[in-house]
Amino acid sequence: SHDATAQPCNPDLAEMVYGVGKMDYRQTALTFYKEATAAGDKIFVSKGEQATYNDAKLACTNAGGQLASPQNAEENKAVLDFCKMYKVFPYLGINDLLIEGSFRYPNGEMLSYSNWSDKEPNNDQGVEDCVEMYDNGKWNDKNCNEKRLIICEF
Ligand code: 293
Ligand code: CA
């Protein structure tokens, strides 16, 4: 469903928030991760900006997508590539804001794939409802008020 010629759901917002010049943001994403589109998978996009979870989430939804929520090892690797490129840990869209201890996708569905780091999620200090990705691709639950790399998926 995601091919190189597809147009964004909301071209104006997508260009403002995640576009690069006049380039289609999907094409921009392709330059970073060709395999994603070749496999008909999600497109991941990042401009290297950092924000709290709420602001990062808003940036992605305003652009017609959502925060990166990898559902298999291939998608996790795509997100990790951005993490390494910008040398900043990203926030994932996955969170347990609704029900403590029940990590879910932004649409509320239960996880079908996870890649937790050893001994995570640990809800450290009782305030960790968001998820960051380390630069080894493993996940850690983390306070939502930190600033982390924004990576959106479309
Ligand atoms: C505790 C124990 C550490 C762990 C950390 C993170 C915080 O400090 O081993 O790395 O929590 O889980 O999110
Ligand atoms: Ca943690």
Side-chain angles (χ1 to χ4, degrees):
S1 60
H2 293 142
D3 61 75
T5 56
Q7 292 303 301
C9 324
N10 189 337
D12 294 333
L13 278 174
E15 178 141 333
M16 274 194 293
V17 179
Y18 272 95
V20 176
K22 290 187 174 12
M23 291 174 69
D24 184 313
Y25 70 85
R26 292 182 190 278
Q27 191 62 51
T28 305
L30 265 180
T31 67
F32 292 114
Y33 194 68
K34 295 187 171 70
E35 292 85 351
T37 289
D41 288 330
K42 295 172 185 171
I43 299 295
F44 296 95
V45 176
S46 179
K47 289 172 65 177
E49 296 169 345
Q50 300 178 42
T52 61
Y53 169 80
N54 278 334
D55 287 350
K57 176 185 173 183
L58 199 58
C60 293
T61 55
N62 280 349
Q66 65 179 17
L67 271 172
S69 304
Q71 290 181 276
N72 55 53
E74 184 187 13
E75 293 181 1
N76 205 69
K77 172 65 163 55
V79 174
L80 175 60
D81 286 346
F82 281 110
C83 174
K84 288 178 173 169
M85 181 189 311
Y86 290 110
K87 303 191 192 312
V88 181
F89 299 162
Y91 271 132
L92 304 182
I94 293 158
N95 68 80
D96 74 341
L97 288 160
L98 188 64
I99 302 172
E100 173 54 40
S102 181
F103 282 88
R104 297 169 184 238
Y105 297 113
N107 68 3
E109 287 181 16
M110 305 292 290
L111 302 187
S112 55
Y113 163 87
S114 65
N115 197 36
W116 295 112
S117 192
D118 189 39
K119 303 205 170 82
E120 306 295 347
N122 64 353
N123 196 27
D124 192 37
Q125 317 278 329
V127 294
E128 300 192 318
D129 295 335
C130 287
V131 179
E132 65 184 356
M133 179 186 283
Y134 291 147
D135 57 11
N136 62 1
K138 293 291 181 178
W139 304 356
N140 173 43
D141 61 338
K142 192 72 180 177
N143 192 313
C144 300
N145 297 324
E146 304 291 333
K147 289 212 171 174
R148 291 292 180 266
L149 181 65
I150 306 173
I151 304 175
C152 302
E153 64 178 31
F154 296 91

